[in-house]
Amino acid sequence: MRKWLVFGFITAMLLLCPIRVLADSPTDEPETEQIEEESTPQAARRNQDSVMLFAFLAAGVVVIAAALMTKNQNLSLFVNHVDYNGDGSYIITWGYKNPKRYKVKFDKGKAGLKVRKGTAIILKSAELTEFEPGIHKDAMITIINNETEIEWIAGNQKVGVNGKMIQEERENENEDYKQIG
Protein backbone atom coordinates (compact mmCIF):
# COMPACT_ATOMS: atom_id res chain seq x y z
CA MET A 1 0.00 0.00 0.00
CA ARG A 2 2.72 2.44 1.03
CA LYS A 3 4.77 1.54 -2.03
CA TRP A 4 1.88 2.31 -4.37
CA LEU A 5 1.22 5.62 -2.62
CA VAL A 6 4.85 6.68 -3.01
CA PHE A 7 4.92 5.41 -6.59
CA GLY A 8 1.72 7.37 -7.42
CA PHE A 9 3.10 10.55 -5.83
CA ILE A 10 6.36 10.31 -7.76
CA THR A 11 4.54 9.60 -11.01
CA ALA A 12 2.32 12.65 -10.48
CA MET A 13 5.41 14.78 -9.78
CA LEU A 14 7.09 13.52 -12.93
CA LEU A 15 4.03 14.26 -15.03
CA LEU A 16 3.19 17.67 -13.55
CA CYS A 17 6.72 19.13 -13.38
CA PRO A 18 7.06 19.59 -17.16
CA ILE A 19 3.74 21.47 -17.16
CA ARG A 20 5.15 23.90 -14.57
CA VAL A 21 8.23 24.49 -16.73
CA LEU A 22 6.07 25.20 -19.77
CA ALA A 23 3.91 27.61 -17.77
CA ASP A 24 6.99 29.60 -16.66
CA SER A 25 8.54 29.75 -20.11
CA PRO A 26 9.21 33.24 -21.40
CA THR A 27 6.71 34.80 -23.75
CA ASP A 28 7.34 37.46 -26.34
CA GLU A 29 6.83 40.84 -24.76
CA PRO A 30 6.02 43.69 -27.08
CA GLU A 31 8.69 46.35 -27.66
CA THR A 32 11.20 45.65 -24.96
CA GLU A 33 14.85 46.50 -24.81
CA GLN A 34 17.28 43.64 -24.84
CA ILE A 35 19.91 43.75 -22.10
CA GLU A 36 22.95 41.72 -22.96
CA GLU A 37 25.07 39.79 -20.47
CA GLU A 38 23.20 40.97 -17.44
CA SER A 39 21.38 38.73 -15.04
CA THR A 40 17.86 39.76 -14.12
CA PRO A 41 16.10 38.50 -11.00
CA GLN A 42 13.49 36.78 -13.15
CA ALA A 43 16.13 34.88 -15.16
CA ALA A 44 17.93 33.84 -11.97
CA ARG A 45 14.62 32.54 -10.58
CA ARG A 46 14.02 30.46 -13.71
CA ASN A 47 17.48 28.90 -13.37
CA GLN A 48 16.80 28.12 -9.72
CA ASP A 49 13.43 26.55 -10.65
CA SER A 50 15.15 24.40 -13.28
CA VAL A 51 17.70 23.16 -10.75
CA MET A 52 14.91 22.32 -8.27
CA LEU A 53 12.96 20.52 -11.00
CA PHE A 54 16.02 18.47 -11.92
CA ALA A 55 16.62 17.64 -8.25
CA PHE A 56 13.02 16.41 -7.82
CA LEU A 57 13.21 14.33 -10.98
CA ALA A 58 16.53 12.79 -9.90
CA ALA A 59 15.13 12.02 -6.44
CA GLY A 60 12.10 10.39 -8.06
CA VAL A 61 14.29 8.19 -10.23
CA VAL A 62 16.37 7.15 -7.20
CA VAL A 63 13.26 6.26 -5.17
CA ILE A 64 11.78 4.22 -8.03
CA ALA A 65 15.08 2.40 -8.60
CA ALA A 66 15.39 1.62 -4.87
CA ALA A 67 11.81 0.27 -4.77
CA LEU A 68 12.46 -1.97 -7.77
CA MET A 69 15.74 -3.25 -6.32
CA THR A 70 14.13 -4.22 -3.00
CA LYS A 71 11.27 -5.87 -4.81
CA ASN A 72 13.70 -8.16 -6.64
CA GLN A 73 15.44 -9.29 -3.45
CA ASN A 74 14.15 -12.71 -2.52
CA LEU A 75 13.92 -14.77 0.60
CA SER A 76 16.80 -17.24 0.94
CA LEU A 77 16.76 -20.45 2.97
CA PHE A 78 19.93 -22.15 4.22
CA VAL A 79 21.28 -24.93 6.43
CA ASN A 80 23.19 -23.13 9.14
CA HIS A 81 24.83 -26.01 10.99
CA VAL A 82 25.05 -29.83 11.04
CA ASP A 83 26.09 -31.74 14.20
CA TYR A 84 26.78 -35.48 14.36
CA ASN A 85 25.23 -37.14 17.42
CA GLY A 86 27.44 -40.28 17.40
CA ASP A 87 24.51 -42.67 16.94
CA GLY A 88 24.01 -42.21 13.17
CA SER A 89 21.76 -39.19 13.55
CA TYR A 90 22.39 -35.52 12.86
CA ILE A 91 21.05 -32.27 14.29
CA ILE A 92 20.33 -29.84 11.46
CA THR A 93 19.93 -26.14 12.22
CA TRP A 94 18.05 -24.30 9.46
CA GLY A 95 17.92 -20.55 8.83
CA TYR A 96 16.63 -17.94 6.45
CA LYS A 97 17.28 -14.39 5.31
CA ASN A 98 14.44 -12.02 4.49
CA PRO A 99 15.95 -8.79 3.05
CA LYS A 100 12.60 -7.01 2.96
CA ARG A 101 11.34 -4.71 5.73
CA TYR A 102 8.14 -6.64 6.23
CA LYS A 103 7.04 -10.18 7.00
CA VAL A 104 6.76 -12.46 3.96
CA LYS A 105 3.92 -15.00 4.05
CA PHE A 106 3.27 -18.04 1.86
CA ASP A 107 0.26 -20.33 1.58
CA LYS A 108 0.63 -23.73 3.28
CA GLY A 109 0.81 -25.42 -0.13
CA LYS A 110 3.76 -23.25 -1.20
CA ALA A 111 5.89 -23.42 1.94
CA GLY A 112 6.79 -26.03 4.50
CA LEU A 113 9.02 -28.91 5.46
CA LYS A 114 8.90 -31.96 3.17
CA VAL A 115 10.37 -35.29 4.27
CA ARG A 116 11.06 -37.07 0.96
CA LYS A 117 12.47 -40.23 2.51
CA GLY A 118 13.11 -41.53 6.03
CA THR A 119 12.10 -39.75 9.23
CA ALA A 120 12.73 -36.40 10.86
CA ILE A 121 12.07 -35.03 14.32
CA ILE A 122 11.41 -31.30 14.64
CA LEU A 123 12.90 -29.96 17.89
CA LYS A 124 12.27 -26.27 17.26
CA SER A 125 10.28 -24.62 14.55
CA ALA A 126 9.21 -21.12 13.71
CA GLU A 127 6.13 -20.72 11.54
CA LEU A 128 7.30 -22.39 8.32
CA THR A 129 5.14 -20.17 6.11
CA GLU A 130 5.88 -16.75 7.66
CA PHE A 131 9.30 -15.09 7.49
CA GLU A 132 10.19 -12.07 9.60
CA PRO A 133 12.64 -9.46 8.22
CA GLY A 134 16.35 -10.04 8.81
CA ILE A 135 18.64 -13.05 9.18
CA HIS A 136 17.42 -15.88 11.38
CA LYS A 137 20.08 -18.57 11.82
CA ASP A 138 18.08 -20.98 14.00
CA ALA A 139 14.55 -20.79 12.64
CA MET A 140 14.18 -24.55 12.78
CA ILE A 141 16.09 -27.47 14.31
CA THR A 142 15.54 -31.06 13.16
CA ILE A 143 17.06 -34.45 13.84
CA ILE A 144 17.54 -36.80 10.89
CA ASN A 145 19.29 -40.11 10.28
CA ASN A 146 21.40 -41.46 7.41
CA GLU A 147 18.31 -42.52 5.45
CA THR A 148 16.51 -39.18 5.55
CA GLU A 149 16.01 -36.79 2.65
CA ILE A 150 14.35 -33.55 3.73
CA GLU A 151 13.59 -30.18 2.10
CA TRP A 152 12.45 -26.81 3.35
CA ILE A 153 10.45 -25.01 0.66
CA ALA A 154 9.19 -21.41 0.56
CA GLY A 155 7.80 -20.26 -2.79
CA ASN A 156 10.53 -20.74 -5.40
CA GLN A 157 13.26 -21.16 -2.74
CA LYS A 158 14.25 -24.58 -1.45
CA VAL A 159 17.07 -26.09 0.55
CA GLY A 160 17.52 -29.76 1.26
CA VAL A 161 19.57 -32.19 3.30
CA ASN A 162 20.38 -35.80 2.50
CA GLY A 163 21.57 -37.98 5.39
CA LYS A 164 23.72 -40.24 3.18
CA MET A 165 25.55 -37.23 1.69
CA ILE A 166 26.26 -35.89 5.19
CA GLN A 167 27.60 -39.30 6.24
CA GLU A 168 29.84 -39.56 3.14
CA GLU A 169 31.16 -36.01 3.67
CA ARG A 170 31.89 -36.78 7.33
CA GLU A 171 33.75 -39.97 6.38
CA ASN A 172 35.80 -38.08 3.77
CA GLU A 173 36.77 -35.46 6.37
CA ASN A 174 37.85 -38.22 8.78
CA GLU A 175 40.01 -39.88 6.08
CA ASP A 176 41.65 -36.53 5.25
CA TYR A 177 42.35 -35.98 8.96
CA LYS A 178 43.92 -39.48 9.32
CA GLN A 179 46.18 -38.87 6.29
CA ILE A 180 47.41 -35.52 7.69
CA GLY A 181 47.86 -36.76 11.28
Side-chain angles (χ1 to χ4, degrees):
M1 172 76 179
R2 197 171 23 172
K3 249 192 246 183
W4 287 109
L5 185 62
V6 170
F7 182 71
F9 177 73
I10 291 171
T11 304
M13 293 266 308
L14 291 173
L15 292 174
L16 295 177
C17 285
I19 295 170
R20 166 98 169 115
V21 170
L22 291 174
D24 285 345
S25 63
T27 58
D28 293 335
E29 296 178 8
E31 299 186 27
T32 58
E33 282 186 39
Q34 186 173 354
I35 302 173
E36 294 183 28
E37 296 185 36
E38 186 175 318
S39 177
T40 62
Q42 190 177 18
R45 169 108 172 119
R46 282 197 187 110
N47 286 341
Q48 191 177 33
D49 287 346
S50 297
V51 169
M52 290 297 289
L53 171 66
F54 180 74
F56 279 123
L57 288 174
V61 169
V62 168
V63 168
I64 290 172
L68 290 175
M69 286 177 62
T70 11
K71 182 179 179 184
N72 292 332
Q73 291 179 342
N74 290 327
L75 176 76
S76 60
L77 306 174
F78 56 88
V79 173
N80 189 41
H81 194 70
V82 177
D83 284 322
Y84 180 62
N85 290 329
D87 61 355
S89 66
Y90 304 94
I91 297 176
I92 312 294
T93 305
W94 308 75
Y96 68 88
K97 177 183 177 187
N98 177 3
K100 298 184 180 188
R101 292 186 179 141
Y102 53 89
K103 184 189 298 187
V104 175
K105 295 180 184 181
F106 292 96
D107 293 333
K108 292 229 183 242
K110 293 188 178 189
L113 192 64
K114 309 281 186 204
V115 179
R116 303 280 181 205
K117 181 179 172 189
T119 59
I121 300 171
I122 300 174
L123 296 179
K124 174 190 173 195
S125 175
E127 178 60 46
L128 300 177
T129 58
E130 295 182 5
F131 301 89
E132 294 289 334
I135 298 173
H136 302 271
K137 292 183 178 182
D138 63 346
M140 179 173 46
I141 299 174
T142 59
I143 297 177
I144 66 168
N145 61 23
N146 293 336
E147 303 298 318
T148 304
E149 292 179 16
I150 189 170
E151 281 184 323
W152 187 13
I153 301 169
N156 62 356
Q157 297 292 315
K158 86 173 62 163
V159 62
V161 174
N162 181 326
K164 286 185 181 180
M165 290 175 65
I166 295 172
Q167 179 184 15
E168 289 171 7
E169 184 68 32
R170 198 176 138 275
E171 289 171 357
N172 288 339
E173 286 177 6
N174 286 341
E175 284 181 20
D176 291 343
Y177 179 73
K178 286 177 186 176
Q179 290 176 0
I180 295 172

